[in-house]
Amino acid sequence: MGDFNLALVIVAVVVSVLVLLVSVYLLVNYQHPDDANQAYFPKLVVVLGLTVAVLSILMLPADVANRQACRKAVYNGACSLTLPMKTLWLVVYIVDAVLVFLVIPFAMFYYEGDQDKSVGKRLRTALIWVVASAVVCGLVLGILYGLVGKVDFTVRHLSSSVETFPNSFSGFSSGQPCISSLPRQCAASTAPSSSLTTWTMRATFPEYVVALTTIVGSVLFTIFGGVGIACLPLGLIFSFVRRPKAVITRSQYIKEATELGKKARELKKAAEALHQEERSGNKGRKWRKNVKAVEKELLLLEDDMKALEEMYPQGEKAETTWALTVLGYIGKLIFGVVGLIISIAWVAHIVIYLLIDPPLSSFLNEVFIKLDDVWGLLGTAAFAFFCFYLLIAVIAGEMMLGLKLVFITIHPMKWGGTLMNSFLFNVGLILLCSISVIQFCATAFAYYAQATAAQEIFGHTLQSLRGIKYLYKYNIFQYGFVALAILTLFYYAIFGWRKRKPTGRFQISN
């Protein structure tokens, strides 16, 4: 077992380094050319945030593997090389909270500050905003903690009279479990209903902060994850359905390009008008609404330009470009079908294991256990894949709703065209939802992940907090997740196969 433990430590180190390298790769390839060779502090925050978010998701499978490492230990010290999971979870939560509530807002305020100001003034302005936000959040948390920061545990009070210790235990049975022959109240199965009582204690402030953060993340996770679990695979499949079937003619290309040019000029005029209003200090509600409208139309225009370039490839290697485009859409179909199977398995597992009481089956828990029997880490790898897929679904849902709903700020992720404020916003969202993804996975796979440090953290304390426990008692988040997944499925069944039609000339509110 010692060798297995050492292998686990080595795997954890290697995976951490790989995640860091992948985070740097994503930053380099997604960043906007305008941010090249500048904005180093926001870039550092993005890399750190992505690394922490991914590692926090992978820590749950590592926790399971860490538990299995000592399962067959037969001598003292056999588990001396296992991972200190409780300490690692604590470090991840602290870093996650600091990044989400302090570092990322500071980096966004600094990045979006007036470029005409000096670096010192931009730092001071960003610091003022962050401190003000921290003070408001601290006051709200302090008031809530003082009023309802308690944990209500439902316990059964058992008692038995004092008797002389028996010389023989032959008289004990299921009908006589206690020493005393008087009314048996020391057995939970035979104790009266009046023995149930509530044990109230005050939660620690860090536990309460983690709980409220988890609730906020769970609301976002339910919305984005429920939509994303369906739109992630279906979006890929219907992208294949709406693919360009053939190369268009040159005359068609010129006609479409001319229309896009007209729309681009209109957007440029609108952007210049909004920029003049900003300089004059007229930044009211109508101005912000128009800015969001321009951003949305600009994203749609970029999508139209990309689609036009796909339908009419140019250059010396036009045929090769068209072949790669066709292969790309075939790849989307394959990944979409595989993702659809995983999404169906996720929703079915939630219904079978979490929403039906008692559960019909442990379903995926049994699958992971059987895979572990085939090879030690095969089930753990499959478990990690399902957890990571859920995080990707959250990101996909946020991307979809960001374009559909007006009240959500649009921060798109574009390959080679993502500004740092969009990067920071999405990283903050991922970090906020990552804790809820962990909690959701720990609950959904409670049988497989039993006796882990994560189970201890997301145990009865979180689900017994006053005012919050009912959300977990009645499975509000799970029902919301499944309902939104079904609604998204119907949406794609009705509208997914249609191609987006032009909305006409762009106009802003006067």
Side-chain angles (χ1 to χ4, degrees):
M1 289 307 296
D3 294 336
F4 180 80
N5 300 341
L6 180 59
L8 180 61
V9 175
I10 294 174
V11 169
V13 174
V14 172
V15 169
S16 300
V17 173
L18 289 177
V19 169
L20 178 61
L21 294 177
V22 171
S23 300
V24 174
Y25 174 81
L26 291 175
L27 172 68
V28 171
N29 288 277
Y30 268 92
Q31 69 175 346
H32 197 280
D34 293 344
D35 287 328
N37 301 319
Q38 62 178 352
Y40 292 108
F41 176 68
K43 290 178 181 178
L44 178 63
V45 174
V46 166
V47 171
L48 179 60
L50 286 175
T51 303
V52 171
V54 175
L55 288 180
S56 65
I57 299 298
L58 297 179
M59 274 181 61
L60 187 56
D63 202 351
V64 175
N66 197 63
R67 175 206 63 192
Q68 294 176 346
C70 294
R71 184 172 54 184
K72 298 179 181 179
V74 294
Y75 61 91
N76 293 333
C79 294
S80 60
L81 294 176
T82 53
L83 301 174
M85 292 309 303
K86 289 185 179 180
T87 302
L88 290 176
W89 280 119
L90 180 61
V91 171
V92 166
Y93 286 144
I94 293 174
V95 174
D96 194 304
V98 171
L99 286 173
V100 171
F101 297 107
L102 295 177
V103 179
I104 290 180
F106 176 81
M108 290 187 68
F109 286 131
Y110 175 76
Y111 179 83
E112 296 178 348
D114 192 348
Q115 300 295 326
D116 296 333
K117 294 181 179 180
S118 64
V119 175
K121 290 183 178 180
R122 292 170 62 188
L123 287 173
R124 185 167 58 252
T125 301
L127 186 61
I128 291 174
W129 277 104
V130 171
V131 171
S133 302
V135 170
V136 172
C137 292
L139 289 175
V140 173
L141 288 173
I143 293 172
L144 290 176
Y145 178 72
L147 295 176
V148 293
K150 297 180 180 179
V151 183
D152 296 323
F153 292 106
T154 300
V155 296
R156 188 180 295 275
H157 179 74
L158 303 177
S159 63
S160 179
S161 57
V162 178
E163 295 288 336
T164 304
F165 198 80
N167 295 323
S168 173
F169 296 93
S170 59
F172 293 100
S173 64
S174 59
Q176 177 60 39
C178 303
I179 295 177
S180 174
S181 59
L182 298 175
R184 298 179 293 275
Q185 293 185 0
C186 66
S189 59
T190 58
S193 57
S194 59
S195 63
L196 284 175
T197 184
T198 300
W199 178 32
T200 301
M201 61 178 295
R202 181 168 290 279
T204 63
F205 187 72
E207 287 178 339
Y208 193 73
V209 173
V210 170
L212 290 187
T213 304
T214 304
I215 292 299
V216 175
S218 296
V219 173
L220 296 175
F221 163 77
T222 301
I223 298 173
F224 296 142
V227 173
I229 201 74
C231 78
L232 177 58
L234 293 178
L236 294 173
I237 293 174
F238 282 105
S239 177
F240 174 82
V241 173
R242 298 190 302 265
R243 74 192 187 282
K245 304 299 190 300
V247 178
I248 62 176
T249 62
R250 181 176 177 80
S251 59
Q252 289 176 315
Y253 173 77
I254 294 175
K255 180 182 177 181
E256 294 293 334
T258 302
E259 291 295 326
L260 292 179
K262 291 180 181 179
K263 190 171 184 180
R265 286 191 292 271
E266 293 176 359
L267 283 173
K268 183 179 179 181
K269 291 180 181 179
E272 290 175 350
L274 292 172
H275 187 62
Q276 291 179 356
E277 291 184 19
E278 181 183 12
R279 288 184 173 276
S280 63
N282 186 16
K283 296 172 61 176
R285 181 179 180 183
K286 187 178 295 183
W287 180 86
R288 291 191 296 270
K289 180 180 178 181
N290 289 332
V291 169
K292 291 183 179 181
V294 170
E295 290 177 347
K296 182 176 181 179
E297 290 294 328
L298 182 59
L299 291 174
L300 297 178
L301 178 62
E302 291 177 354
D303 290 340
D304 290 339
M305 291 176 61
K306 181 180 178 182
L308 184 60
E309 291 174 355
E310 288 182 345
M311 291 185 292
Y312 191 77
Q314 303 180 53
E316 298 179 356
K317 299 181 180 180
E319 294 182 357
T320 303
T321 303
W322 174 252
L324 292 176
T325 300
V326 173
L327 291 176
Y329 279 105
I330 295 175
K332 288 183 178 181
L333 176 63
I334 295 173
F335 285 114
V337 172
V338 173
L340 183 60
I341 295 173
I342 298 172
S343 295
I344 292 175
W346 251 118
V347 175
H349 179 78
I350 293 171
V351 174
I352 293 173
Y353 186 70
L354 295 180
L355 299 185
I356 297 178
D357 189 22
L360 296 179
S361 169
S362 58
F363 194 31
L364 291 178
N365 290 283
E366 291 290 344
V367 173
F368 299 148
I369 292 174
K370 291 180 179 179
L371 289 176
D372 277 335
D373 293 336
V374 175
W375 180 59
L377 292 178
L378 186 59
T380 304
F383 176 49
F385 178 77
F386 269 80
C387 295
F388 190 72
Y389 180 85
L390 198 59
L391 181 64
I392 299 299
V394 171
I395 299 173
E398 186 270 333
M399 293 299 177
M400 178 185 176
L401 293 179
L403 292 176
K404 300 297 181 183
L405 302 180
V406 179
F407 59 84
I408 295 181
T409 303
I410 301 174
H411 284 280
M413 296 287 289
K414 293 283 187 178
W415 186 269
T418 305
L419 295 173
M420 280 301 107
N421 58 341
S422 297
F423 242 130
L424 290 167
F425 176 85
N426 285 282
V427 170
L429 179 67
I430 293 170
L431 285 169
L432 189 59
C433 293
S434 62
I435 295 180
S436 300
V437 172
I438 297 168
Q439 191 270 337
F440 192 87
C441 290
T443 303
F445 303 122
Y447 181 58
Y448 181 71
Q450 59 184 332
T452 59
Q455 279 285 347
E456 182 178 345
I457 294 172
F458 294 111
H460 296 291
T461 300
L462 177 61
Q463 299 181 11
S464 300
L465 281 170
R466 185 172 297 179
I468 295 177
K469 59 182 180 181
Y470 300 104
L471 296 174
Y472 295 97
K473 180 180 180 180
Y474 299 108
N475 296 323
I476 301 299
F477 298 125
Q478 289 87 341
Y479 278 111
F481 185 93
V482 173
L484 286 172
I486 295 174
L487 290 176
T488 306
L489 174 63
F490 283 119
Y491 171 83
Y492 270 92
I494 298 173
F495 304 106
W497 56 273
R498 299 180 182 179
K499 291 186 177 181
R500 185 176 58 84
K501 297 180 179 180
T503 57
R505 292 195 170 186
F506 169 70
Q507 296 179 350
I508 63 176
S509 302
N510 296 319

